[in-house]
Amino acid sequence: MKSPVVKRSIVVAGHKTSVSLEEAFWNGMKEISGLRDMTLSELVGEIDSNRQQGNLSSAIRLFVLDYFRTRAMAAGLDSKPQG
């Protein structure tokens, strides 16, 4: 069975590194970088420079989760059903 984790090489701050993420997180990163009008490498570099601890893959997952959670809250999708 094929692993859902995809390993890709990316240049971060001028250095090539490998990052392993599930395809859904790669897709989220592409969407966010497109909306911010920046490259995927630039976005990963920003995440890398802001992370406090942990590995880069974990930092990216947390960033993508927080980004879409914040967007959902802004759209009112986090409110509980009335009734």
Side-chain angles (χ1 to χ4, degrees):
M1 183 173 166
K2 187 180 175 196
S3 171
V5 175
V6 178
K7 187 174 189 174
R8 295 193 179 144
S9 294
I10 192 162
V11 177
V12 179
H15 300 282
K16 191 173 181 179
T17 188
S18 293
V19 179
S20 297
L21 295 170
E22 293 77 8
E23 192 66 36
F25 286 102
W26 284 116
N27 291 338
M29 291 288 292
K30 290 176 194 173
E31 182 178 338
I32 295 166
S33 65
L35 291 169
R36 291 180 158 197
D37 196 29
M38 60 195 318
T39 67
L40 198 58
S41 291
E42 290 169 335
L43 183 58
V44 172
E46 180 183 306
I47 293 166
D48 187 40
S49 66
N50 291 327
R51 71 181 160 129
Q52 303 296 314
Q53 58 189 8
N55 64 43
L56 183 56
S57 294
S58 294
I60 291 171
R61 286 183 185 97
L62 291 171
F63 173 85
V64 171
L65 175 65
D66 183 62
Y67 179 86
F68 286 106
R69 180 187 291 157
T70 300
R71 228 169 86 171
M73 288 173 64
L77 298 179
D78 65 322
S79 60
K80 295 180 181 173
Q82 301 294 319

